[in-house]
């Protein structure tokens, strides 16, 4: 019986759910009551529009929320969006895109804000519905263009190639015969990834031909290769990246409008994966990485984009690992230099200025979106 199934079973039973939430509040410490939430949100500066706007907003609550019990998950996006809407006196109400009457309810809104979960089933639902919402003339955050490549490494790879962006050398194919030929002359180790996966889940290092061939045979069998999503298999595709041996860290850079944030991540000893390891360092970021992150965001057509890089000492340059429109955000200090929280502001190409302050990037993103649609 999977952990996910047990969790769903517990949450569907009222008294078990109460016990679960009490234990989770103590052990994971990621649930807040209303008072704690307000104090947490108010650690950041208010983000205000230059002028008032007259729009109606439909706000979707994060899927993993316990508002009915008076609790909110620390990483939930919707409270940050909600604070911005309240501070700017913008009309809003909650919108449920999972109901059968979602099209009828959507007629009430000009803008719909939906922080989608990153699993394959939610992405399938979101892509289908955001496409229709935009056909109805509604603005969406994320837009269909943004959601198209979210949590889909293959689609992001296509965009890197199209725009000639400096990504880690990557081999993607749906042809088994081509893949086998590739493996015969490939340089090992190879990094194998599933298309949808975060925090280093679904990422493996293949040290030789036999290991790689085994993965390929599983992927191209009738059922495909099992992933950590029990209902979704890796089927008829391979995503291999070169192993950058001289990379000692990941650098995540977030770009929203002309404002940028970021931090360094380091792997645990004996591992090659920095994502999900929990080893962070906040310090100054080179202009080269800031400019590249900004250009990736612009090419992707995103309001907000976090791009992860490695730096190769041998090549003397940053290489893109992957990009995402949503990331886990625990604090309003997504950048600090010498202990001072702040943000970089892009002045011109390769020119950036550091400005102190604490900000929720969700609020900056929403400000950027609303300013664009109300020009």
């Amino acid at each position: 019986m999977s952990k996910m199934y047990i969790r769903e079973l517990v949450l569907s039973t009222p008294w078990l759910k109460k016990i679960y939430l009490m234990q989770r509040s103590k052990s994971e410490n990621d649930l807040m009551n209303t008072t704690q939430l307000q104090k947490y949100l108010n650690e950041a500066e208010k983000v205000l529009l230059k002028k008032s706007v007259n729009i109606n907003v439909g706000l979707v609550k994060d899927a993993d929320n316990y508002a009915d019990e008076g609790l909110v998950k620390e990483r939930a996006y919707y409270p940050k969006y909600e604070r911005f809407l309240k501070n700017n006196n913008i009309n809003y109400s909650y919108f449920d895109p999972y109901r059968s009457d979602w099209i009828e309810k959507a007629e009430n809104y000009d803008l719909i804000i939906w922080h989608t979960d990153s699993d394959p089933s939610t992405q399938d639902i979101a892509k289908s519905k955001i496409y229709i919402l935009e056909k109805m003339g509604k603005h969406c955050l994320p837009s269909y263009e943004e959601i198209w490549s979210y949590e889909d490494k293959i689609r992001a790879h296509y965009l890197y190639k199209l725009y000639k962006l400096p990504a880690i050398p990557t081999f993607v194919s749906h042809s088994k015969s081509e893949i086998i030929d590739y493996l015969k002359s490939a340089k090992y180790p190879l990094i194998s990834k599933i298309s949808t996966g975060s925090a280093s889940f679904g990422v493996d290092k293949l040290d030789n031909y036999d290991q790689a061939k085994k993965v390929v045979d599983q992927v191209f069998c009738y059922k495909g290769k099992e992933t950590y999503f029990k209902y979704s298999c890796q089927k008829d595709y391979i995503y291999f990246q070169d192993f950058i041996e001289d990379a000692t860290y990941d650098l995540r850079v977030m770009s929203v409008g002309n404002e940028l944030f970021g931090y360094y991540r380091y792997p645990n000893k004996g591992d090659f994966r920095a994502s999900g390891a929990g080893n962070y360092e906040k310090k100054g970021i080179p202009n080269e990485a800031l400019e590249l992150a900004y250009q990736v965001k612009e090419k992707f057509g995103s309001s907000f984009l976090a791009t992860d890089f490695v730096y190769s000492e041998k090549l003397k340059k940053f290489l893109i690992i992957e990009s995402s429109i949503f990331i886990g955000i625990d604090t309003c200090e997504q950048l600090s230099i010498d202990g001072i929280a702040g943000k970089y502001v892009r002045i011109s190409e390769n020119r950036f200025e550091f400005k102190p302050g604490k900000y929720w990037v969700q609020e900056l993103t929403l400000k950027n979106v609303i300013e664009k649609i109300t020009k």
Side-chain angles (χ1 to χ4, degrees), residues 21-34:
L21 292 176
M22 288 176 60
Q23 289 300 117
R24 177 169 166 175
S25 296
K26 293 177 183 177
S27 59
E28 297 186 34
N29 197 31
D30 68 339
L31 295 178
M32 301 185 207
N33 60 36
T34 303

Side-chain angles (χ1 to χ4, degrees), residues 38-179:
Q38 288 309 310
K39 183 178 179 181
Y40 170 69
L41 292 176
N42 291 335
E43 290 174 4
E45 297 180 21
K46 289 183 179 180
V47 175
L48 301 174
L49 294 166
K50 293 178 181 178
K51 59 181 182 179
S52 61
V53 296
N54 184 24
I55 59 172
N56 291 318
V57 175
L59 180 60
V60 181
K61 291 184 178 181
D62 295 53
D64 184 19
N65 89 83
Y66 307 96
D68 291 344
E69 286 75 27
L71 296 171
V72 176
K73 189 176 178 182
E74 182 180 61
R75 283 193 169 187
Y77 267 55
Y78 85 88
K80 286 86 173 180
Y81 292 136
E82 189 169 29
R83 188 181 94 129
F84 176 87
L85 295 170
K86 287 179 177 178
N87 286 340
N88 286 277
N89 297 311
I90 296 173
N91 294 322
Y92 78 95
S93 59
Y94 297 124
F95 172 64
D96 187 349
Y98 297 96
R99 289 174 53 91
S100 62
D101 60 353
W102 64 278
I103 290 180
E104 292 81 2
K105 296 293 186 183
E107 293 287 1
N108 299 318
Y109 305 114
D110 304 297
L111 169 65
I112 290 170
I113 306 167
W114 183 3
H115 171 225
T116 67
D117 273 3
S118 59
D119 59 282
S121 62
T122 303
Q123 289 311 300
D124 185 54
I125 295 167
K127 286 168 186 171
S128 298
K129 296 194 174 185
I130 289 172
Y131 179 84
I132 296 298
L133 289 167
E134 291 190 350
K135 287 290 185 183
M136 294 168 63
K138 307 301 176 183
H139 296 283
C140 296
L141 173 62
S143 66
Y144 183 76
E145 183 178 13
E146 290 172 308
I147 201 76
W148 183 82
S149 61
Y150 173 51
E151 285 301 339
D152 194 313
K153 295 180 178 65
I154 291 176
R155 291 180 176 181
H157 165 70
Y158 295 155
L159 291 175
Y160 299 144
K161 287 192 72 173
L162 175 65
Y163 296 119
K164 297 179 173 55
L165 295 165
I168 293 176
T170 303
F171 177 78
V172 174
S173 178
H174 300 274
S175 166
K176 184 176 181 179
S177 60
E178 182 197 18
I179 296 167

